[in-house]
Structure formats: C-alpha cells, structure tokens
Amino acid sequence: GAGVSQSPRYKVAKRGQDVALRCDPISGHVSLFWYQQALGQGPEFLTYFQNEAQLDKSGLPSDRFFAERPEGSVSTLKIQRTQQEDSAVYLCASSPGTGNYGYTFGSGTRLTVV
Amino acid sequence: GESVGLHLPTLSVQEGDNSIINCAYSNSASDYFIWYKQESGKGPQFIIDIRSNMDKRQGQRVTVLLNKTVKHLSLQIAATQPGDSAVYFCAENINRGFKTIFGAGTRLFVKA
C-alpha cells in the first residue's frame, strides 16, 4: 500500500483481556518497528524486525508483550492480560533497508485499558 | 483525534516568521539524527535527517544544524505556516544502529 496501515485505530480493553494490534508495512520494506507512545511523551522503542527475524525485543516492557512477523510483511503486536499502564498509542513504522533511514510511521492504535 | 504533547515545551510564532526548535542529545556515540513532525491523531512524519559527519543540511523550508561539540541539534523552519503547527521530535541513532531514540518533543504553535 501507499503507507503503513494499522488496525484497529482505537481499542478499549478490560483489564486482564488479551489484545492483538496489526501493522501492514509499506510493501517491500525490510525493516519493521513497534513503538509505544504515552500521552505527552516521545515514542519509545519496543521491538525491531528485519524481514521475519526479530532482531531486537529489548524494549518490550514485560513478557506479556509479544510481537511476530511470520512472513516478513504483516506484523502483530500482542499484549496478554492487559493492565492500565499498557494504555498508550502503539505505533508501527517501516523502512526500506537495514541502514539508517527515516521511518514511515502508521497512525497508530490507541489502546485504552479500563 | 487525541492530543499529542499536552505538557510539552511550547514555541509560539507568528505566521511568516522563522522558527527555531532546539534539542539536546546526551550520547556522544549518536551518529544519525532525524527530525519528525507529529500532528494530532497521526504518527510521526519524517522531515529531515543529518549524519554526524555533517553540521548542516537543508531541505525545502527546513534546515537542520548539528553541533557535536555541545551535543545540540536544531531545526529551522523558514516562513512558518499554520500547517506547521504540530509537535516536533528530534531523534537519534547510536553507533549505526537501527534503533531510533526519540526526545521529549516541542509543540510549535503558529499564530495566523
């Protein structure tokens, strides 16, 4: 597609519920990133994929967070047993190569845990 | 859409004036720097980048200046327009790494 597409746009989850957030990167982009953005803050790195390989997951806050990109295109970020502190905007970004480039971000999924 | 940067530093400028947004970074190993613009309800949008072997780079209406001695980065916007109103983030990569680290952001408000 023309840009990075994320769904759903908004998600309200009850505490303890599992959620899955989807990212469709720009076609052919090798690198895919997930970031978490709390209100009033800059995005914080969660994880990085190069094709289907998850090369860095050092930013995932806990073992409740899991990301995958099984075929090297679409990616899913899953959060198990959601907590109120998980409420944030989850941003996906992609870039064409593996070097230093500016990313193309999606519009994000706003997750609210009640 | 939701608001971005409710409690961020704010720069208010008159339409047509030039804007300068400043950013300090802390890691001397940072070698690639990017400025992003984020409008409410949207993801960050790439504006301009600069590598550590340069001290200035110009784009369309925007200029980025890098001072490695004092670890300072600035974004200059010429002839600021209402459409430039947004939150601006500086970001850095370290040691040719792929991970981008974002700063806290500055809200730019353009008065018509």
Side-chain angles (χ1 to χ4, degrees), chain A residues 75-95:
Chain A
S75 178
T76 303
L77 176 67
K78 298 178 180 178
I79 309 173
Q80 297 177 323
R81 304 180 305 281
T82 51
Q83 305 294 315
Q84 281 193 321
E85 61 263 28
D86 300 335
S87 296
V89 174
Y90 291 85
L91 294 163
C92 178
S94 69
S95 71

Side-chain angles (χ1 to χ4, degrees), chain B residues 57-73:
Chain B
R57 188 157 189 241
Q58 288 185 288
Q60 187 176 17
R61 281 203 307 120
V62 293
T63 300
V64 55
L65 299 177
L66 174 62
N67 185 330
K68 293 182 289 295
T69 303
V70 295
K71 299 194 189 70
H72 184 267
L73 194 67

